[in-house]
PDB file of all heavy atoms in Angstrom:
ATOM      1  N   ALA A 161     228.242  53.962  78.412  1.00  0.00           N
ATOM      2  CA  ALA A 161     229.676  53.598  78.183  1.00  0.00           C
ATOM      3  C   ALA A 161     230.226  54.338  76.959  1.00  0.00           C
ATOM      4  O   ALA A 161     231.376  54.821  76.964  1.00  0.00           O
ATOM      5  CB  ALA A 161     229.767  52.115  78.017  1.00  0.00           C
ATOM      6  N   ARG A 162     229.409  54.419  75.921  1.00  0.00           N
ATOM      7  CA  ARG A 162     229.914  55.115  74.735  1.00  0.00           C
ATOM      8  C   ARG A 162     230.139  56.569  74.992  1.00  0.00           C
ATOM      9  O   ARG A 162     231.057  57.190  74.399  1.00  0.00           O
ATOM     10  CB  ARG A 162     228.878  54.970  73.590  1.00  0.00           C
ATOM     11  CG  ARG A 162     228.743  53.498  73.081  1.00  0.00           C
ATOM     12  CD  ARG A 162     228.107  53.431  71.684  1.00  0.00           C
ATOM     13  NE  ARG A 162     226.782  54.050  71.693  1.00  0.00           N
ATOM     14  CZ  ARG A 162     225.672  53.373  72.019  1.00  0.00           C
ATOM     15  NH1 ARG A 162     225.761  52.102  72.368  1.00  0.00           N
ATOM     16  NH2 ARG A 162     224.494  53.979  71.975  1.00  0.00           N
ATOM     17  N   LEU A 163     229.362  57.175  75.914  1.00  0.00           N
ATOM     18  CA  LEU A 163     229.580  58.587  76.240  1.00  0.00           C
ATOM     19  C   LEU A 163     230.966  58.849  76.821  1.00  0.00           C
ATOM     20  O   LEU A 163     231.707  59.749  76.450  1.00  0.00           O
ATOM     21  CB  LEU A 163     228.548  59.025  77.275  1.00  0.00           C
ATOM     22  CG  LEU A 163     227.142  59.429  76.745  1.00  0.00           C
ATOM     23  CD1 LEU A 163     226.214  59.703  77.892  1.00  0.00           C
ATOM     24  CD2 LEU A 163     227.289  60.687  75.857  1.00  0.00           C
ATOM     25  N   PHE A 164     231.342  57.974  77.770  1.00  0.00           N
ATOM     26  CA  PHE A 164     232.648  58.160  78.448  1.00  0.00           C
ATOM     27  C   PHE A 164     233.831  57.873  77.533  1.00  0.00           C
ATOM     28  O   PHE A 164     234.940  58.349  77.814  1.00  0.00           O
ATOM     29  CB  PHE A 164     232.680  57.285  79.696  1.00  0.00           C
ATOM     30  CG  PHE A 164     231.862  57.857  80.823  1.00  0.00           C
ATOM     31  CD1 PHE A 164     230.679  57.251  81.154  1.00  0.00           C
ATOM     32  CD2 PHE A 164     232.248  58.953  81.535  1.00  0.00           C
ATOM     33  CE1 PHE A 164     229.859  57.754  82.156  1.00  0.00           C
ATOM     34  CE2 PHE A 164     231.465  59.487  82.550  1.00  0.00           C
ATOM     35  CZ  PHE A 164     230.280  58.841  82.876  1.00  0.00           C
ATOM     36  N   LEU A 165     233.584  57.141  76.452  1.00  0.00           N
ATOM     37  CA  LEU A 165     234.672  56.899  75.491  1.00  0.00           C
ATOM     38  C   LEU A 165     234.758  57.968  74.459  1.00  0.00           C
ATOM     39  O   LEU A 165     235.678  57.964  73.625  1.00  0.00           O
ATOM     40  CB  LEU A 165     234.451  55.522  74.855  1.00  0.00           C
ATOM     41  CG  LEU A 165     234.568  54.300  75.801  1.00  0.00           C
ATOM     42  CD1 LEU A 165     234.228  53.009  75.031  1.00  0.00           C
ATOM     43  CD2 LEU A 165     235.974  54.235  76.387  1.00  0.00           C
ATOM     44  N   ASN A 166     233.847  58.881  74.476  1.00  0.00           N
ATOM     45  CA  ASN A 166     233.826  59.982  73.474  1.00  0.00           C
ATOM     46  C   ASN A 166     234.760  61.100  73.951  1.00  0.00           C
ATOM     47  O   ASN A 166     234.624  61.606  75.065  1.00  0.00           O
ATOM     48  CB  ASN A 166     232.407  60.524  73.324  1.00  0.00           C
ATOM     49  CG  ASN A 166     232.283  61.428  72.083  1.00  0.00           C
ATOM     50  OD1 ASN A 166     233.256  62.067  71.661  1.00  0.00           O
ATOM     51  ND2 ASN A 166     231.071  61.550  71.552  1.00  0.00           N
ATOM     52  N   GLY A 167     235.744  61.488  73.113  1.00  0.00           N
ATOM     53  CA  GLY A 167     236.665  62.478  73.537  1.00  0.00           C
ATOM     54  C   GLY A 167     236.254  63.923  73.331  1.00  0.00           C
ATOM     55  O   GLY A 167     236.910  64.851  73.821  1.00  0.00           O
ATOM     56  N   ASP A 168     235.175  64.164  72.608  1.00  0.00           N
ATOM     57  CA  ASP A 168     234.737  65.532  72.359  1.00  0.00           C
ATOM     58  C   ASP A 168     233.823  65.998  73.496  1.00  0.00           C
ATOM     59  O   ASP A 168     232.756  65.441  73.733  1.00  0.00           O
ATOM     60  CB  ASP A 168     233.957  65.560  71.031  1.00  0.00           C
ATOM     61  CG  ASP A 168     233.690  66.982  70.577  1.00  0.00           C
ATOM     62  OD1 ASP A 168     233.437  67.829  71.438  1.00  0.00           O
ATOM     63  OD2 ASP A 168     233.616  67.216  69.359  1.00  0.00           O
ATOM     64  N   PRO A 169     234.262  67.083  74.252  1.00  0.00           N
ATOM     65  CA  PRO A 169     233.502  67.561  75.417  1.00  0.00           C
ATOM     66  C   PRO A 169     232.042  67.956  74.996  1.00  0.00           C
ATOM     67  O   PRO A 169     231.122  67.723  75.731  1.00  0.00           O
ATOM     68  CB  PRO A 169     234.278  68.724  75.910  1.00  0.00           C
ATOM     69  CG  PRO A 169     235.680  68.494  75.466  1.00  0.00           C
ATOM     70  CD  PRO A 169     235.530  67.799  74.141  1.00  0.00           C
ATOM     71  N   SER A 170     231.901  68.676  73.877  1.00  0.00           N
ATOM     72  CA  SER A 170     230.573  69.156  73.516  1.00  0.00           C
ATOM     73  C   SER A 170     229.656  67.960  73.172  1.00  0.00           C
ATOM     74  O   SER A 170     228.508  67.943  73.514  1.00  0.00           O
ATOM     75  CB  SER A 170     230.672  70.127  72.335  1.00  0.00           C
ATOM     76  OG  SER A 170     231.224  69.449  71.189  1.00  0.00           O
ATOM     77  N   ASP A 171     230.267  66.998  72.468  1.00  0.00           N
ATOM     78  CA  ASP A 171     229.489  65.819  72.167  1.00  0.00           C
ATOM     79  C   ASP A 171     229.117  65.045  73.388  1.00  0.00           C
ATOM     80  O   ASP A 171     228.034  64.513  73.549  1.00  0.00           O
ATOM     81  CB  ASP A 171     230.300  64.844  71.229  1.00  0.00           C
ATOM     82  CG  ASP A 171     230.393  65.388  69.809  1.00  0.00           C
ATOM     83  OD1 ASP A 171     229.644  66.324  69.481  1.00  0.00           O
ATOM     84  OD2 ASP A 171     231.201  64.862  69.036  1.00  0.00           O
ATOM     85  N   PHE A 172     230.039  65.114  74.390  1.00  0.00           N
ATOM     86  CA  PHE A 172     229.760  64.421  75.647  1.00  0.00           C
ATOM     87  C   PHE A 172     228.560  65.038  76.349  1.00  0.00           C
ATOM     88  O   PHE A 172     227.634  64.344  76.856  1.00  0.00           O
ATOM     89  CB  PHE A 172     230.993  64.513  76.567  1.00  0.00           C
ATOM     90  CG  PHE A 172     230.766  63.914  77.944  1.00  0.00           C
ATOM     91  CD1 PHE A 172     230.852  62.533  78.127  1.00  0.00           C
ATOM     92  CD2 PHE A 172     230.439  64.711  79.013  1.00  0.00           C
ATOM     93  CE1 PHE A 172     230.605  61.968  79.374  1.00  0.00           C
ATOM     94  CE2 PHE A 172     230.200  64.153  80.262  1.00  0.00           C
ATOM     95  CZ  PHE A 172     230.316  62.784  80.466  1.00  0.00           C
ATOM     96  N   LEU A 173     228.473  66.362  76.417  1.00  0.00           N
ATOM     97  CA  LEU A 173     227.408  67.072  77.098  1.00  0.00           C
ATOM     98  C   LEU A 173     226.085  66.807  76.383  1.00  0.00           C
ATOM     99  O   LEU A 173     225.028  66.576  77.010  1.00  0.00           O
ATOM    100  CB  LEU A 173     227.683  68.557  77.179  1.00  0.00           C
ATOM    101  CG  LEU A 173     228.851  68.968  78.107  1.00  0.00           C
ATOM    102  CD1 LEU A 173     229.089  70.461  78.009  1.00  0.00           C
ATOM    103  CD2 LEU A 173     228.552  68.572  79.549  1.00  0.00           C
TER     104      LEU A 173
END
Side-chain angles (χ1 to χ4, degrees):
R162 291 198 303 273
L163 277 174
F164 285 105
L165 294 176
N166 192 334
D168 190 326
S170 61
D171 287 346
F172 176 80
L173 293 175

